[in-house]
Short mmCIF file of all heavy atoms in Angstrom, two decimals:
data_model
loop_
_atom_site.label_atom_id
_atom_site.label_comp_id
_atom_site.label_asym_id
_atom_site.label_seq_id
_atom_site.Cartn_x
_atom_site.Cartn_y
_atom_site.Cartn_z
N GLN A 37 100.71 -49.32 -138.32
CA GLN A 37 101.02 -47.94 -137.99
C GLN A 37 101.98 -47.39 -139.03
O GLN A 37 103.07 -47.91 -139.23
CB GLN A 37 101.65 -47.83 -136.60
CG GLN A 37 101.93 -46.38 -136.20
CD GLN A 37 102.50 -46.27 -134.80
OE1 GLN A 37 103.14 -47.18 -134.28
NE2 GLN A 37 102.22 -45.15 -134.14
N ASP A 38 101.56 -46.33 -139.68
CA ASP A 38 102.36 -45.66 -140.71
C ASP A 38 102.53 -44.19 -140.34
O ASP A 38 101.59 -43.58 -139.78
CB ASP A 38 101.69 -45.80 -142.07
CG ASP A 38 101.49 -47.25 -142.46
OD1 ASP A 38 102.51 -47.93 -142.72
OD2 ASP A 38 100.34 -47.71 -142.48
N PRO A 39 103.65 -43.60 -140.66
CA PRO A 39 103.90 -42.19 -140.28
C PRO A 39 102.80 -41.27 -140.78
O PRO A 39 102.41 -41.31 -141.95
CB PRO A 39 105.24 -41.89 -140.97
CG PRO A 39 105.90 -43.22 -141.10
CD PRO A 39 104.81 -44.20 -141.34
N GLY A 40 102.30 -40.44 -139.88
CA GLY A 40 101.28 -39.47 -140.25
C GLY A 40 99.89 -40.03 -140.43
O GLY A 40 98.97 -39.28 -140.76
N MET A 41 99.72 -41.33 -140.22
CA MET A 41 98.41 -41.95 -140.45
C MET A 41 97.86 -42.63 -139.22
O MET A 41 96.78 -43.22 -139.27
CB MET A 41 98.49 -42.94 -141.61
CG MET A 41 98.97 -42.31 -142.90
SD MET A 41 98.80 -43.37 -144.32
CE MET A 41 97.04 -43.31 -144.56
N GLY A 42 98.58 -42.59 -138.11
CA GLY A 42 98.09 -43.23 -136.91
C GLY A 42 98.03 -44.74 -137.07
O GLY A 42 98.80 -45.33 -137.83
N LEU A 43 97.12 -45.36 -136.36
CA LEU A 43 96.94 -46.80 -136.44
C LEU A 43 95.65 -47.11 -137.19
O LEU A 43 94.61 -46.49 -136.92
CB LEU A 43 96.86 -47.42 -135.04
CG LEU A 43 98.17 -47.54 -134.28
CD1 LEU A 43 98.51 -46.25 -133.58
CD2 LEU A 43 98.10 -48.68 -133.29
N ARG A 44 95.73 -48.05 -138.09
CA ARG A 44 94.56 -48.44 -138.87
C ARG A 44 94.29 -49.92 -138.66
O ARG A 44 95.20 -50.74 -138.72
CB ARG A 44 94.77 -48.12 -140.35
CG ARG A 44 94.83 -46.62 -140.66
CD ARG A 44 95.07 -46.38 -142.13
NE ARG A 44 96.41 -46.80 -142.54
CZ ARG A 44 96.79 -46.92 -143.80
NH1 ARG A 44 95.93 -46.69 -144.80
NH2 ARG A 44 98.02 -47.28 -144.09
N LEU A 45 93.01 -50.24 -138.45
CA LEU A 45 92.60 -51.60 -138.13
C LEU A 45 92.60 -52.47 -139.38
O LEU A 45 91.98 -52.12 -140.38
CB LEU A 45 91.21 -51.57 -137.50
CG LEU A 45 90.61 -52.89 -137.06
CD1 LEU A 45 91.44 -53.53 -135.96
CD2 LEU A 45 89.17 -52.69 -136.59
N ILE A 46 93.28 -53.61 -139.30
CA ILE A 46 93.37 -54.52 -140.44
C ILE A 46 92.28 -55.60 -140.33
O ILE A 46 91.44 -55.75 -141.22
CB ILE A 46 94.75 -55.20 -140.50
CG1 ILE A 46 95.87 -54.15 -140.53
CG2 ILE A 46 94.85 -56.10 -141.73
CD1 ILE A 46 97.26 -54.74 -140.39
N HIS A 47 92.34 -56.39 -139.28
CA HIS A 47 91.37 -57.44 -139.02
C HIS A 47 91.17 -57.53 -137.51
O HIS A 47 92.03 -57.13 -136.74
CB HIS A 47 91.86 -58.80 -139.52
CG HIS A 47 91.79 -59.00 -141.00
ND1 HIS A 47 90.61 -59.22 -141.67
CD2 HIS A 47 92.77 -59.03 -141.93
CE1 HIS A 47 90.87 -59.38 -142.95
NE2 HIS A 47 92.17 -59.26 -143.14
N TYR A 48 90.04 -58.10 -137.12
CA TYR A 48 89.80 -58.32 -135.71
C TYR A 48 89.00 -59.61 -135.52
O TYR A 48 88.43 -60.16 -136.46
CB TYR A 48 89.08 -57.13 -135.07
CG TYR A 48 87.69 -56.87 -135.58
CD1 TYR A 48 86.58 -57.32 -134.88
CD2 TYR A 48 87.48 -56.14 -136.75
CE1 TYR A 48 85.30 -57.06 -135.34
CE2 TYR A 48 86.21 -55.88 -137.22
CZ TYR A 48 85.12 -56.34 -136.51
OH TYR A 48 83.85 -56.07 -136.96
N SER A 49 89.00 -60.06 -134.25
CA SER A 49 88.30 -61.30 -133.91
C SER A 49 87.64 -61.13 -132.55
O SER A 49 88.29 -60.68 -131.60
CB SER A 49 89.29 -62.46 -133.87
OG SER A 49 88.69 -63.60 -133.29
N VAL A 50 86.38 -61.50 -132.46
CA VAL A 50 85.65 -61.38 -131.19
C VAL A 50 85.63 -62.69 -130.43
O VAL A 50 85.05 -62.77 -129.35
CB VAL A 50 84.22 -60.86 -131.40
CG1 VAL A 50 84.25 -59.48 -132.06
CG2 VAL A 50 83.41 -61.84 -132.24
N GLY A 51 86.28 -63.71 -130.97
CA GLY A 51 86.37 -64.99 -130.29
C GLY A 51 86.91 -66.05 -131.23
O GLY A 51 87.00 -65.83 -132.45
N ALA A 52 87.25 -67.19 -130.67
CA ALA A 52 87.80 -68.28 -131.49
C ALA A 52 86.81 -68.65 -132.59
O ALA A 52 85.61 -68.79 -132.34
CB ALA A 52 88.11 -69.48 -130.61
N GLY A 53 87.33 -68.74 -133.80
CA GLY A 53 86.53 -69.11 -134.95
C GLY A 53 85.80 -67.97 -135.63
O GLY A 53 85.12 -68.17 -136.64
N ILE A 54 85.94 -66.74 -135.09
CA ILE A 54 85.21 -65.58 -135.62
C ILE A 54 86.21 -64.47 -135.97
O ILE A 54 86.95 -64.02 -135.10
CB ILE A 54 84.19 -65.04 -134.60
CG1 ILE A 54 83.25 -66.14 -134.13
CG2 ILE A 54 83.40 -63.88 -135.22
CD1 ILE A 54 82.40 -65.74 -132.95
N THR A 55 86.23 -64.09 -137.23
CA THR A 55 87.09 -62.97 -137.63
C THR A 55 86.29 -62.04 -138.54
O THR A 55 85.29 -62.44 -139.14
CB THR A 55 88.35 -63.45 -138.38
OG1 THR A 55 87.96 -64.09 -139.60
CG2 THR A 55 89.17 -64.41 -137.54
N ASP A 56 86.77 -60.81 -138.64
CA ASP A 56 86.10 -59.83 -139.49
C ASP A 56 87.12 -58.81 -139.97
O ASP A 56 88.21 -58.68 -139.40
CB ASP A 56 84.97 -59.14 -138.75
CG ASP A 56 83.89 -58.63 -139.70
OD1 ASP A 56 84.13 -58.58 -140.95
OD2 ASP A 56 82.80 -58.26 -139.24
N GLN A 57 86.76 -58.11 -141.03
CA GLN A 57 87.66 -57.14 -141.64
C GLN A 57 87.56 -55.79 -140.95
O GLN A 57 86.50 -55.37 -140.50
CB GLN A 57 87.31 -56.97 -143.12
CG GLN A 57 87.51 -58.23 -143.94
CD GLN A 57 87.17 -58.01 -145.41
OE1 GLN A 57 86.64 -56.98 -145.79
NE2 GLN A 57 87.49 -58.99 -146.23
N GLY A 58 88.70 -55.12 -140.91
CA GLY A 58 88.74 -53.76 -140.42
C GLY A 58 88.79 -52.77 -141.57
O GLY A 58 88.20 -53.01 -142.63
N GLU A 59 89.50 -51.70 -141.37
CA GLU A 59 89.55 -50.60 -142.33
C GLU A 59 90.42 -50.92 -143.55
O GLU A 59 90.11 -50.51 -144.66
CB GLU A 59 90.08 -49.34 -141.63
CG GLU A 59 90.20 -48.11 -142.48
CD GLU A 59 90.88 -46.96 -141.74
OE1 GLU A 59 91.17 -47.11 -140.53
OE2 GLU A 59 91.15 -45.92 -142.38
N VAL A 60 91.53 -51.65 -143.34
CA VAL A 60 92.49 -51.90 -144.42
C VAL A 60 92.83 -53.38 -144.53
O VAL A 60 93.97 -53.80 -144.32
CB VAL A 60 93.77 -51.05 -144.22
CG1 VAL A 60 93.50 -49.59 -144.51
CG2 VAL A 60 94.33 -51.23 -142.81
N PRO A 61 91.88 -54.25 -144.90
CA PRO A 61 92.12 -55.69 -144.87
C PRO A 61 92.82 -56.28 -146.10
O PRO A 61 93.33 -57.41 -146.06
CB PRO A 61 90.70 -56.25 -144.77
CG PRO A 61 89.87 -55.26 -145.54
CD PRO A 61 90.51 -53.91 -145.26
N ASN A 62 92.85 -55.52 -147.21
CA ASN A 62 93.34 -56.09 -148.46
C ASN A 62 94.82 -56.49 -148.36
O ASN A 62 95.65 -55.73 -147.92
CB ASN A 62 93.15 -55.10 -149.60
CG ASN A 62 91.68 -54.88 -149.93
OD1 ASN A 62 90.84 -55.70 -149.56
ND2 ASN A 62 91.38 -53.78 -150.58
N GLY A 63 95.10 -57.73 -148.80
CA GLY A 63 96.46 -58.24 -148.77
C GLY A 63 96.81 -59.01 -147.52
O GLY A 63 97.93 -59.52 -147.39
N TYR A 64 95.86 -59.10 -146.60
CA TYR A 64 96.09 -59.78 -145.32
C TYR A 64 95.00 -60.82 -145.05
O TYR A 64 93.84 -60.59 -145.35
CB TYR A 64 96.07 -58.78 -144.16
CG TYR A 64 96.98 -57.60 -144.31
CD1 TYR A 64 96.50 -56.40 -144.83
CD2 TYR A 64 98.32 -57.66 -143.93
CE1 TYR A 64 97.32 -55.30 -144.97
CE2 TYR A 64 99.15 -56.56 -144.06
CZ TYR A 64 98.65 -55.39 -144.58
OH TYR A 64 99.47 -54.30 -144.70
N ASN A 65 95.43 -61.94 -144.45
CA ASN A 65 94.48 -62.94 -143.99
C ASN A 65 94.71 -63.21 -142.52
O ASN A 65 95.84 -63.10 -142.02
CB ASN A 65 94.66 -64.26 -144.76
CG ASN A 65 94.01 -64.22 -146.12
OD1 ASN A 65 93.24 -63.31 -146.44
ND2 ASN A 65 94.32 -65.21 -146.95
N VAL A 66 93.65 -63.60 -141.83
CA VAL A 66 93.76 -63.98 -140.43
C VAL A 66 92.92 -65.22 -140.17
O VAL A 66 92.04 -65.58 -140.96
CB VAL A 66 93.28 -62.86 -139.47
CG1 VAL A 66 94.21 -61.66 -139.52
CG2 VAL A 66 91.85 -62.47 -139.78
N SER A 67 93.21 -65.86 -139.04
CA SER A 67 92.39 -66.97 -138.55
C SER A 67 92.48 -66.95 -137.04
O SER A 67 93.43 -66.39 -136.46
CB SER A 67 92.86 -68.30 -139.12
OG SER A 67 94.21 -68.55 -138.74
N ARG A 68 91.52 -67.56 -136.39
CA ARG A 68 91.53 -67.61 -134.91
C ARG A 68 91.05 -69.00 -134.50
O ARG A 68 89.90 -69.23 -134.23
CB ARG A 68 90.61 -66.53 -134.35
CG ARG A 68 90.61 -66.46 -132.82
CD ARG A 68 91.50 -65.38 -132.32
NE ARG A 68 91.50 -65.29 -130.88
CZ ARG A 68 90.69 -64.48 -130.16
NH1 ARG A 68 89.79 -63.74 -130.80
NH2 ARG A 68 90.78 -64.45 -128.86
N SER A 69 91.99 -69.92 -134.46
CA SER A 69 91.63 -71.30 -134.11
C SER A 69 91.62 -71.52 -132.60
O SER A 69 90.97 -72.44 -132.11
CB SER A 69 92.59 -72.29 -134.77
OG SER A 69 93.93 -71.99 -134.40
N THR A 70 92.33 -70.68 -131.86
CA THR A 70 92.34 -70.78 -130.40
C THR A 70 92.10 -69.39 -129.82
O THR A 70 92.28 -68.37 -130.50
CB THR A 70 93.68 -71.31 -129.85
OG1 THR A 70 94.70 -70.33 -130.12
CG2 THR A 70 94.06 -72.63 -130.50
N THR A 71 91.77 -69.31 -128.55
CA THR A 71 91.60 -68.01 -127.88
C THR A 71 92.92 -67.25 -127.82
O THR A 71 92.95 -66.03 -127.93
CB THR A 71 91.07 -68.21 -126.46
OG1 THR A 71 89.80 -68.86 -126.52
CG2 THR A 71 90.92 -66.89 -125.72
N GLU A 72 94.01 -67.99 -127.68
CA GLU A 72 95.30 -67.36 -127.41
C GLU A 72 95.98 -66.76 -128.65
O GLU A 72 96.73 -65.79 -128.53
CB GLU A 72 96.26 -68.38 -126.79
CG GLU A 72 95.87 -68.88 -125.42
CD GLU A 72 94.78 -69.92 -125.47
OE1 GLU A 72 94.57 -70.53 -126.55
OE2 GLU A 72 94.11 -70.14 -124.44
N ASP A 73 95.77 -67.33 -129.82
CA ASP A 73 96.58 -66.99 -131.00
C ASP A 73 95.78 -66.31 -132.09
O ASP A 73 94.64 -66.71 -132.39
CB ASP A 73 97.24 -68.25 -131.54
CG ASP A 73 98.14 -68.92 -130.53
OD1 ASP A 73 99.11 -68.26 -130.10
OD2 ASP A 73 97.86 -70.07 -130.15
N PHE A 74 96.42 -65.35 -132.73
CA PHE A 74 95.74 -64.60 -133.81
C PHE A 74 96.80 -64.20 -134.84
O PHE A 74 97.23 -63.06 -134.90
CB PHE A 74 95.03 -63.38 -133.24
CG PHE A 74 94.11 -62.68 -134.21
CD1 PHE A 74 93.21 -63.39 -134.98
CD2 PHE A 74 94.11 -61.29 -134.31
CE1 PHE A 74 92.34 -62.75 -135.85
CE2 PHE A 74 93.24 -60.64 -135.18
CZ PHE A 74 92.36 -61.38 -135.95
N PRO A 75 97.22 -65.13 -135.70
CA PRO A 75 98.27 -64.82 -136.68
C PRO A 75 97.76 -63.99 -137.85
O PRO A 75 96.60 -64.12 -138.26
CB PRO A 75 98.71 -66.22 -137.15
CG PRO A 75 97.51 -67.08 -136.93
CD PRO A 75 96.81 -66.53 -135.71
N LEU A 76 98.65 -63.16 -138.37
CA LEU A 76 98.36 -62.32 -139.54
C LEU A 76 99.23 -62.79 -140.69
O LEU A 76 100.45 -62.83 -140.57
CB LEU A 76 98.66 -60.86 -139.22
CG LEU A 76 98.42 -59.86 -140.36
CD1 LEU A 76 96.93 -59.67 -140.61
CD2 LEU A 76 99.08 -58.51 -140.04
N ARG A 77 98.60 -63.14 -141.81
CA ARG A 77 99.33 -63.68 -142.95
C ARG A 77 99.36 -62.68 -144.10
O ARG A 77 98.33 -62.12 -144.47
CB ARG A 77 98.68 -64.98 -143.42
CG ARG A 77 98.70 -66.08 -142.38
CD ARG A 77 98.09 -67.37 -142.91
NE ARG A 77 98.03 -68.39 -141.86
CZ ARG A 77 97.04 -68.51 -140.99
NH1 ARG A 77 96.01 -67.68 -141.06
NH2 ARG A 77 97.06 -69.44 -140.07
N LEU A 78 100.55 -62.52 -144.65
CA LEU A 78 100.71 -61.77 -145.88
C LEU A 78 101.00 -62.81 -146.97
O LEU A 78 102.02 -63.48 -146.94
CB LEU A 78 101.87 -60.78 -145.80
CG LEU A 78 101.67 -59.53 -144.95
CD1 LEU A 78 101.65 -59.82 -143.48
CD2 LEU A 78 102.77 -58.52 -145.27
N LEU A 79 100.10 -62.95 -147.93
CA LEU A 79 100.23 -64.02 -148.91
C LEU A 79 101.23 -63.67 -150.01
O LEU A 79 101.94 -64.53 -150.51
CB LEU A 79 98.87 -64.32 -149.52
CG LEU A 79 97.83 -64.84 -148.51
CD1 LEU A 79 96.51 -65.12 -149.22
CD2 LEU A 79 98.34 -66.08 -147.79
N SER A 80 101.27 -62.41 -150.42
CA SER A 80 102.18 -61.95 -151.46
C SER A 80 102.56 -60.51 -151.12
O SER A 80 101.84 -59.58 -151.48
CB SER A 80 101.52 -62.03 -152.83
OG SER A 80 102.39 -61.56 -153.84
N ALA A 81 103.67 -60.36 -150.40
CA ALA A 81 104.02 -59.05 -149.85
C ALA A 81 104.27 -58.02 -150.95
O ALA A 81 104.83 -58.32 -152.01
CB ALA A 81 105.25 -59.17 -148.97
N ALA A 82 103.85 -56.78 -150.64
CA ALA A 82 104.06 -55.65 -151.54
C ALA A 82 104.74 -54.52 -150.77
O ALA A 82 104.58 -54.43 -149.53
CB ALA A 82 102.72 -55.16 -152.08
N PRO A 83 105.50 -53.65 -151.43
CA PRO A 83 106.16 -52.54 -150.73
C PRO A 83 105.20 -51.68 -149.92
O PRO A 83 105.59 -51.13 -148.89
CB PRO A 83 106.80 -51.75 -151.88
CG PRO A 83 107.07 -52.77 -152.93
CD PRO A 83 105.91 -53.73 -152.85
N SER A 84 103.94 -51.60 -150.35
CA SER A 84 102.95 -50.81 -149.61
C SER A 84 102.62 -51.41 -148.25
O SER A 84 101.98 -50.76 -147.41
CB SER A 84 101.66 -50.68 -150.43
OG SER A 84 101.11 -51.96 -150.67
N GLN A 85 103.05 -52.64 -148.02
CA GLN A 85 102.82 -53.28 -146.73
C GLN A 85 103.98 -53.07 -145.76
O GLN A 85 103.96 -53.58 -144.64
CB GLN A 85 102.54 -54.77 -146.91
CG GLN A 85 101.24 -55.03 -147.66
CD GLN A 85 100.96 -56.49 -147.89
OE1 GLN A 85 101.78 -57.20 -148.50
NE2 GLN A 85 99.82 -56.95 -147.41
N THR A 86 104.98 -52.30 -146.17
CA THR A 86 106.03 -51.88 -145.25
C THR A 86 105.40 -51.03 -144.16
O THR A 86 104.78 -50.01 -144.45
CB THR A 86 107.11 -51.08 -146.00
OG1 THR A 86 107.79 -51.94 -146.91
CG2 THR A 86 108.11 -50.48 -145.01
N SER A 87 105.55 -51.46 -142.90
CA SER A 87 104.84 -50.79 -141.83
C SER A 87 105.28 -51.41 -140.50
O SER A 87 106.06 -52.37 -140.46
CB SER A 87 103.33 -50.97 -142.01
OG SER A 87 102.61 -50.23 -141.05
N VAL A 88 104.77 -50.85 -139.42
CA VAL A 88 104.89 -51.47 -138.11
C VAL A 88 103.51 -52.04 -137.76
O VAL A 88 102.50 -51.33 -137.83
CB VAL A 88 105.34 -50.47 -137.03
CG1 VAL A 88 105.45 -51.18 -135.68
CG2 VAL A 88 106.68 -49.85 -137.41
N TYR A 89 103.50 -53.30 -137.40
CA TYR A 89 102.25 -53.99 -137.13
C TYR A 89 102.11 -54.25 -135.63
O TYR A 89 103.04 -54.72 -134.97
CB TYR A 89 102.21 -55.32 -137.88
CG TYR A 89 102.12 -55.13 -139.38
CD1 TYR A 89 103.27 -54.92 -140.15
CD2 TYR A 89 100.89 -55.12 -140.02
CE1 TYR A 89 103.18 -54.71 -141.51
CE2 TYR A 89 100.79 -54.91 -141.38
CZ TYR A 89 101.95 -54.71 -142.13
OH TYR A 89 101.86 -54.49 -143.47
#
Side-chain angles (χ1 to χ4, degrees):
Chain A
Q37 183 177 28
D38 302 291
M41 302 190 73
L43 285 84
R44 292 179 292 167
L45 181 64
I46 305 172
H47 285 286
Y48 65 98
S49 168
V50 300
I54 306 169
T55 64
D56 206 347
Q57 296 181 351
E59 180 186 355
V60 288
N62 292 341
Y64 307 95
N65 281 348
V66 293
S67 60
R68 183 99 179 267
S69 56
T70 67
T71 299
E72 294 78 20
D73 300 299
F74 190 47
L76 179 72
R77 298 182 184 86
L78 286 71
L79 297 180
S80 179
S84 61
Q85 294 179 303
T86 293
S87 186
V88 180
Y89 292 85

